[in-house]
Amino acid sequence: MESCREITKKLASDELREASLWKRLTVRFHLLMCCHCRRYAAQLRTIGETARHLWGPHSEDSSTLERLKREILGTTLGDHEGGNIDSK
Amino acid sequence: MSMDDPQLAERIRASDPEALRTVVETYLGQIHRSALGAGLGPERAREVTQATFATFLEKAPSFEGRSHVRTWLFGILYHKIKEARRGLRQEHQMDEIDEVVEGRFDAKGSWVRPPQAVDLQLYASEIREFFEDCLEKVPTQQRMAFVLREVDELSSKEICKILNISITNLGVLMYRVRNRLRECLEAKGVER
């Protein structure tokens, strides 16, 4: 049987993402039996969710993006429709 | 126009304004958020985003289309971020977090210092600060791997291409950065 150290290593290093069903099941089974590893796994999930919350799509500020878009397209592509920043 | 359009690479190479504009519009937000996630402040994140697309537009004629245009853009971004975060320590064979995690287990690999409960909900308003504090000095490669995986949700294969590392390396980076964040959050949570 795999130790907790091995299980946490698999969880943290994303080894399971592309692992076989059997491997994933053995980890699942371990988590069922072990409250410490279960807590560890849940905390890693929370960390991922928090990162998505901080920097995910809905965190975008549309005015900053608009400005960036104008600057990028305006200066390099001579895009008049997008607004020419020189004329401001 | 779709970003999976087989003709896209050709149109980018020809600097077709319509194609270039679509690429900018499709990926601007993602690139900008990733720059923020990689630890650049608002000002520098904007600069780096601009610089990334400037390089993209300039190099468009040499785009071979062997990888997806997104992979290419993120590769440019990664180089710019490395420049912007220059002076930080590089990724090493050894990382102190490895020992910290190792110290939580006994010789047989069972927990001796198991994870403590931390209620992140309690710290919702400070969570950005926690993350920033904890990741501030992390090598850029680790931090980028984390953002590309957790925020951009790219595949391992694509992340390896962008960071120019092997899948084994990626596993090590993810292991380090996640454990680092977990240790930080636990320390902050238990402190109170």
Side-chain angles (χ1 to χ4, degrees), chain B residues 8 10 66 103 107 110 141 170 185 190:
Chain B
L8 182 66
E10 209 172 299
R66 270 187 302 194
S110 305
Q141 218 176 38
L170 178 60
L185 293 173
V190 173

Side-chain angles (χ1 to χ4, degrees), chain B residues 98-157:
Chain B
D98 298 346
E99 271 175 51
V100 173
V101 180
E102 205 48 40
R104 287 185 166 271
F105 299 98
D106 65 16
K108 282 190 293 192
S110 305
W111 290 102
V112 279
R113 288 177 53 232
Q116 302 293 302
V118 183
D119 185 1
L120 291 182
Q121 295 296 326
L122 282 178
Y123 311 114
S125 59
E126 299 154 83
I127 201 78
R128 183 178 297 273
E129 231 179 291
F130 282 7
F131 264 58
E132 285 301 341
D133 284 354
C134 180
L135 292 178
E136 200 190 347
K137 297 202 173 71
V138 162
T140 303
Q141 218 176 38
Q142 245 180 72
R143 193 159 177 167
M144 273 304 275
F146 178 72
V147 170
L148 295 176
R149 164 65 89 219
E150 298 283 28
V151 182
D152 295 300
E153 301 181 81
L154 301 184
S155 69
S156 306
K157 208 175 144 197

Side-chain angles (χ1 to χ4, degrees), chain A residues 3-5 8 12-14 17-18 36-37 39-40 43 46 50 52 55-57 60 67 71 76 79, chain B residues 21 29 33 37 46 50 57 102 106 108-109 111 114-117 120 127 149-151 156 171 178-179 182:
Chain A
S3 68
C4 295
R5 187 205 277 124
T8 56
S13 62
D14 261 347
R17 200 169 265 262
E18 278 122 32
H36 297 322
C37 287
R39 176 175 281 165
Y40 180 91
Q43 289 177 340
T46 307
T50 308
R52 281 188 286 287
W55 299 299
E60 241 154 53
R67 200 181 114 197
E71 284 168 357
T76 359
D79 181 355
Chain B
R21 171 200 278 275
R33 286 185 287 103
R46 275 200 303 275
Q50 275 203 15
L57 294 169
E102 205 48 40
D106 65 16
K108 282 190 293 192
W111 290 102
Q116 302 293 302
L120 291 182
I127 201 78
R149 164 65 89 219
E150 298 283 28
V151 182
S156 306
R178 282 185 174 140
N179 274 302
R182 210 203 63 76

Side-chain angles (χ1 to χ4, degrees), chain B residues 38 77-86 88-91 135 137-146 163 173:
Chain B
L77 175 72
Y78 174 50
H79 280 285
K80 306 275 180 205
I81 290 176
K82 263 199 297 193
E83 272 170 40
R85 298 185 89 215
R86 200 179 35 220
L88 276 179
R89 68 197 174 84
Q90 301 288 303
E91 193 65 38
L135 292 178
K137 297 202 173 71
V138 162
T140 303
Q141 218 176 38
Q142 245 180 72
R143 193 159 177 167
M144 273 304 275
F146 178 72
L163 302 180
L173 295 179

